[in-house]
Amino acid sequence: MVYRIILALLFFSFCSSAQMSRIQYIEKYNQIAINQMSNHGIPASIILAQAILESQSGNSELASKSNNHFGIKCHSSWTGDKVYHDDDKKQECFRKYDNVEESFYDHSIFLQSKRYQSLYEMSIYDYKGWAKGLKKAGYATNPKYASLLIKIIEDNNLTIYDKQDNDKQDLSYFVNGFGY
């Protein structure tokens, strides 16, 4: 009996330690967000905040099983791999990617649709405007979506990534410099 309890505790410890923290997520994916900002004009802070929120810092089932870090559904034009997951409705179709980079890239392409064109009229430094614009354009059904994105950005000082050139520099010193 004691042996089973010890095994259960070890298993629980292993499972809980496998979860990525928000800071680890930011450190791991900030350069991809900066690259997408440079290539597509979307603030890196917005990209990171959406990815953090939608994927639970990479720990959601959708992110871990299908590399979908933005909760993007299939829609009629999607011809890639698919996965079915409960969301607003049961067993909705979501896009499946071979890796996280594909998810970030597809998110940038997704935001280039007509539905989101008004976002590009705003400054890349106007993360509040982008967050409110995403909600207004219908990116998510949660009525608090914009305020959740803004809180993630401000709590984690993600605007530092909006100011970066696409020169592949390591930004961990910025994160560490803010007490993370």
Side-chain angles (χ1 to χ4, degrees):
M1 179 68 165
V2 173
Y3 180 72
R4 287 183 183 177
I5 292 172
I6 292 171
L7 274 176
L9 287 172
L10 286 172
F11 178 75
F12 176 75
S13 174
F14 174 78
C15 289
S16 63
S17 67
Q19 295 282 305
M20 189 180 315
S21 73
R22 184 176 288 182
I23 299 312
Q24 290 170 322
Y25 188 88
I26 293 166
E27 288 176 350
K28 187 170 185 175
Y29 297 118
N30 72 65
Q31 191 59 56
I32 298 172
I34 292 167
N35 291 344
Q36 292 305 310
M37 175 182 68
S38 178
N39 293 330
H40 301 282
I42 303 161
S45 60
I46 287 291
I47 295 168
L48 284 167
Q50 283 193 279
I52 288 166
L53 181 60
E54 296 288 345
S55 74
Q56 300 166 13
S57 299
N59 296 308
S60 72
E61 183 178 343
L62 191 59
S64 61
K65 290 187 177 179
S66 62
N67 290 311
N68 188 330
H69 285 238
F70 295 91
I72 300 178
K73 295 180 181 170
C74 294
H75 303 288
S76 60
S77 62
W78 181 248
T79 59
D81 290 338
K82 301 172 182 177
V83 64
Y84 295 89
H85 181 77
D86 292 348
D87 191 43
D88 293 333
K89 300 175 186 169
K90 286 189 173 270
Q91 294 301 293
E92 290 188 86
C93 184
F94 286 85
R95 298 177 183 194
K96 183 178 180 181
Y97 305 99
D98 290 334
N99 55 56
V100 176
E101 290 82 2
E102 283 183 13
S103 179
F104 275 70
Y105 174 77
D106 190 50
H107 170 260
S108 295
I109 300 305
F110 184 76
L111 290 185
Q112 290 178 357
S113 71
K114 185 177 179 181
R115 178 183 202 173
Y116 301 104
Q117 283 305 297
S118 64
L119 296 172
Y120 295 92
E121 296 170 10
M122 289 181 258
S123 166
I124 200 163
Y125 304 109
D126 185 5
Y127 67 92
K128 289 181 181 178
W130 275 79
K132 292 172 185 173
L134 284 165
K135 173 59 186 133
K136 185 177 179 181
Y139 189 93
T141 57
N142 185 337
K144 295 181 181 179
Y145 193 73
S147 60
L148 291 170
L149 291 178
I150 292 167
K151 180 164 177 37
I152 290 169
I153 291 168
E154 292 175 350
D155 287 354
N156 297 280
N157 198 29
L158 296 182
T159 58
I160 63 170
Y161 302 110
D162 295 340
K163 298 173 178 80
Q164 299 305 308
D165 292 328
N166 189 20
D167 61 2
K168 311 277 191 224
Q169 66 179 329
D170 177 29
L171 300 175
S172 61
Y173 68 94
F174 282 109
V175 174
N176 294 330
F178 288 100
Y180 295 116

